[in-house]
Amino acid sequence: MSEERFGEFVLVRRHERGHVAELVLDRPKAMNAVSTEMARSIAGACAALGEDRDVRAVVLTSSHERAFCVGADLKERSSFSDADLVRQRPVARGAYTGVLELPVPTVAAVHGFALGGGFELALSCDVIVADRTAVVGLPEVSVGVIPGGGGTQLLPRRVGAARAAELIFTARRVEAAEARGIGLVDQLVEEGRDREEALALASRIAANSPVGLRAAKRALRLGHGLDLPAGLEVEDAAWRSVAFSGDRAEGVAAFNEKRSPRWPGE
């Protein structure tokens, strides 16, 4: 396993087997509150991972024992002038869009608090695995703002418009069992096993064709919200991008020869 640090607060681990990378939120003294520096580092790490053709899946984890991420660094923001806040906005957005726009499947491993921007980082992933200590929510209206890391758009896509409205308008925190029941998280695992289970899921994902995975994610993301005929055109374009690939030829050959595929990744 190799490690690469992006700034002081973000660590990327590339696991030797399975083509899985781990993006670690590593600001434990602040429960991973996202400062300007940390936001910039998250975006930088995502850019590097997106360009790494050896990476087939990314797991977003936390180094803090009791929190995934508590959201924006409000202590830092309390010192901002209006001009400072305006200047910081594209930096903050870059962190969330960096995760959201990763071209490979992404899995969030959530334990403890995942609130505000912290939960939005998880929502930016394709799958959320949470342990039984997880507490999630978007409490921004309780401090005079709104979810600004994609929450107003990503949450209704997960749980429907009315449920998302109730959760955002009340600013309430949701504990793990209810979160699983209403679809805020996708898998609920025993305490302390969120990272392990998320990495295992990512390894299963990464065993598949890297060309196929990227194309499937592209079709899922671009087709969401379109009417059916338009969505099917998105799917057809993605299919055409893989139908004549080396991965497709290898996948068919491996199936017929009853062996594991050796993906060329092209």
Side-chain angles (χ1 to χ4, degrees), residues 189-214:
V189 300
E190 293 303 315
E191 181 177 345
R193 291 186 57 84
D194 53 297
R195 176 177 177 269
E196 180 180 350
E197 295 292 344
L199 286 169
L201 174 60
S203 292
R204 291 196 296 274
I205 291 169
N208 296 304
S209 157
V211 170
L213 289 171
R214 287 175 179 248

Side-chain angles (χ1 to χ4, degrees), residues 36-95:
T36 304
E37 179 187 347
M38 187 173 178
R40 191 174 286 112
S41 296
I42 292 170
C46 289
L49 289 169
E51 293 173 0
D52 188 342
R53 301 299 295 190
D54 193 52
V55 172
R56 299 180 191 171
V58 174
V59 179
L60 184 60
T61 66
S62 161
S63 65
H64 195 284
E65 293 183 356
R66 295 186 295 108
F68 175 73
C69 173
V70 295
D73 186 342
L74 297 184
K75 289 184 178 179
E76 178 189 61
R77 287 193 180 180
S78 68
S79 67
F80 280 4
S81 66
D82 289 351
D84 292 333
L85 193 59
V86 169
R87 282 191 294 270
Q88 194 222 27
R89 177 61 177 163
V91 178
R93 285 194 70 185

Side-chain angles (χ1 to χ4, degrees), residues 164-188:
E166 181 262 321
L167 292 167
I168 290 171
F169 294 161
T170 62
R172 72 183 180 93
R173 300 180 178 190
V174 182
E175 296 188 0
E178 183 186 359
R180 175 65 183 90
I182 63 178
L184 296 177
V185 304
D186 302 300
Q187 294 184 22
L188 186 59

